[in-house]
Amino acid sequence: MITLENIEKVYETKSQRVIGVDKVSLTIQKGEIYGIVGYSGAGKSTLLRCINILERPTSGKVIVDGVDLLQLSGKKLREARQSIGMIFQGFYLVSSKTVFDNVAFALKAAGVDRAERKDRVLELLSLVGLADKANQYPAQLSGGQKQRVSIARALANNPKVLLCDEATSALDPSTTKSILSLLKKINEELGITIVIITHEMEVVKEICDRCAVMQDGKIVEQGASYEIFANPMESLTKEFIKTVLDFQLPAKLVQNCTGTLVKLQFRGNLAEEAVVSDMLQQHSVKGNILHGKVEYIREKPLGIFIMEIIGEQPEVNKAINYLENRVQQVEVIQGVS
């Protein structure tokens, strides 16, 4: 659906040359939810705006649904942009217009007649859960409701792609969750390809099929979200993952442990099986779970546990060997196996 080839965006000033996006290439499949993660200044929002040519890349190709948008201009580019909806952190609603008129504005600009506009607006407001807010004004809405209006407006012209630029950053955790659920619903029911820019790995964990991590205008790591969480390769990615999956034990607790400390990773259905219990029953060792959690990455379980194994060293070794044959990753943190 979306292919970016060697996208570069350079800003020239009298005193310096700033590279906003540095030769980025990626492919986003039709119907998936793709996350682009990075800290402020990483270039992620600039890259997103290159997809609909709100920022014209200095070089490279932007291919959306088989069309290289950089080869279009004027009317043809405007028509192509109608298939790409966009929502922002700041909502950008017209305060003097009602909810109905804010959504209808995009349809009016596209030349849709009044009767059809009305039906479409009411359909969209129902989709985003605001059917009863049509005659209210933005000032009367909560932040989450304003973002729902923005989403309805972005969907007005039946886009094939929806770009979300930090769409949940200004919202509280509960509202963020409801907006992410709405985006997931839109993706599943309408088949719209969604690209999400965020600095929150919780967003990626919740709804993204795949993701890319950006730093200094470049993509440093990309892949299936589950694999990124389960096995991050780059230090920046690991830093982001820790905001969701932090398993650092207090130093005092580690010092007081007399056995062997191991970190275990369980993927998929194995995260819900009694592997540790089976190990303790089959080997002459004792075990203490010191830290553990099962997270769900796009609804697929990923379990990470830290435990102390106590016993004679040969039995501890056998227990660890048993775990290595049953789980995806076993890391000895302290003690000799």
Side-chain angles (χ1 to χ4, degrees):
M1 174 56 75
I2 301 172
T3 300
L4 305 180
E5 297 182 7
N6 291 314
I7 294 298
E8 185 176 44
K9 178 61 181 179
V10 178
Y11 298 96
E12 300 278 2
T13 68
K14 291 182 179 179
S15 60
Q16 60 181 334
R17 184 175 186 266
V18 178
I19 299 177
V21 177
D22 192 358
K23 293 182 171 60
V24 166
S25 295
L26 60 83
T27 299
I28 299 169
Q29 303 296 333
K30 182 178 181 180
E32 76 174 338
I33 303 178
Y34 195 96
I36 301 176
V37 188
Y39 290 122
S40 296
K44 58 190 188 298
S45 291
T46 301
L47 180 64
L48 187 79
R49 292 166 70 89
C50 285
I51 294 176
N52 60 0
I53 322 299
L54 283 180
E55 292 274 3
R56 181 167 284 272
T58 306
S59 61
K61 290 184 177 181
V62 178
I63 301 171
V64 179
D65 200 21
V67 178
D68 186 350
L69 299 188
L70 291 177
Q71 300 302 311
L72 306 179
S73 60
K75 182 180 178 181
K76 288 187 176 180
L77 179 57
R78 289 193 296 273
E79 289 174 350
R81 279 186 177 138
Q82 287 187 4
S83 69
I84 306 173
M86 190 165 186
I87 59 175
F88 306 87
Q89 176 181 349
F91 316 134
Y92 296 114
L93 302 178
V94 181
S95 60
S96 60
K97 291 183 179 294
T98 64
V99 167
F100 183 98
D101 289 335
N102 266 280
V103 178
F105 179 79
L107 293 165
K108 188 175 181 180
V112 178
D113 67 63
R114 183 185 295 271
E116 188 177 345
R117 284 205 306 267
K118 180 179 179 180
D119 290 343
R120 179 63 176 155
V121 170
L122 294 178
E123 175 189 359
L124 289 166
L125 291 179
S126 178
L127 174 67
V128 302
L130 294 178
D132 60 336
K133 305 293 184 183
N135 295 318
Q136 293 192 2
Y137 289 85
Q140 298 173 282
L141 305 178
S142 66
Q145 289 170 335
K146 290 176 183 177
Q147 194 58 283
R148 287 171 181 267
V149 176
S150 297
I151 292 170
R153 182 182 58 191
L155 297 176
N157 290 306
N158 294 301
K160 297 176 181 178
V161 174
L162 181 61
L163 307 180
C164 308
D165 192 1
E166 298 280 9
T168 61
S169 296
L171 306 176
D172 62 72
S174 176
T175 306
T176 291
K177 212 167 187 63
S178 72
I179 292 298
L180 294 179
S181 294
L182 174 59
L183 291 175
K184 190 188 299 185
K185 174 185 175 183
I186 289 167
N187 170 258
E188 292 172 351
E189 293 185 4
L190 305 181
I192 294 176
T193 303
I194 299 178
V195 185
I196 295 179
I197 295 298
T198 184
H199 61 271
E200 301 169 300
M201 284 305 289
E202 189 69 36
V203 171
V204 174
K205 178 177 80 73
E206 193 71 26
I207 67 169
C208 293
D209 301 301
R210 294 192 300 137
C211 67
V213 181
M214 285 192 73
Q215 183 178 34
D216 298 328
K218 298 179 180 180
I219 290 179
V220 297
E221 189 165 357
Q222 61 180 308
S225 297
Y226 191 90
E227 292 303 318
I228 293 289
F229 272 89
N231 190 32
M233 303 302 293
E234 299 296 325
S235 58
L236 177 63
T237 310
K238 292 175 182 178
E239 190 176 312
F240 272 114
I241 297 300
K242 281 184 179 180
T243 64
V244 178
L245 302 175
D246 188 5
F247 289 90
Q248 295 300 312
L249 295 177
K252 188 174 182 179
L253 178 61
V254 174
Q255 291 169 3
N256 291 336
C257 289
T258 58
T260 299
L261 292 185
V262 293
K263 182 177 180 181
L264 312 173
Q265 184 187 103
F266 302 81
R267 300 190 193 183
N269 294 334
L270 200 60
E272 299 169 334
E273 294 182 9
V275 175
V276 172
S277 177
D278 292 345
M279 179 271 290
L280 293 174
Q281 289 179 17
Q282 295 183 35
H283 298 85
S284 300
V285 296
K286 295 181 179 180
N288 297 321
I289 299 292
L290 303 177
H291 203 338
K293 192 175 185 182
V294 177
E295 287 284 356
Y296 288 84
I297 318 300
R298 201 58 163 98
E299 302 177 358
K300 183 179 178 182
L302 173 67
I304 300 179
F305 296 85
I306 297 176
M307 70 177 297
E308 179 185 24
I309 303 177
I310 303 169
E312 296 294 328
Q313 198 60 52
E315 282 299 312
V316 171
N317 290 345
K318 290 178 183 177
I320 292 175
N321 184 62
Y322 174 87
L323 291 171
E324 288 174 337
N325 289 326
R326 291 291 304 277
V327 305
Q328 275 73 23
Q329 288 183 15
V330 178
E331 177 187 352
V332 177
I333 300 174
Q334 176 176 288
V336 180
S337 61

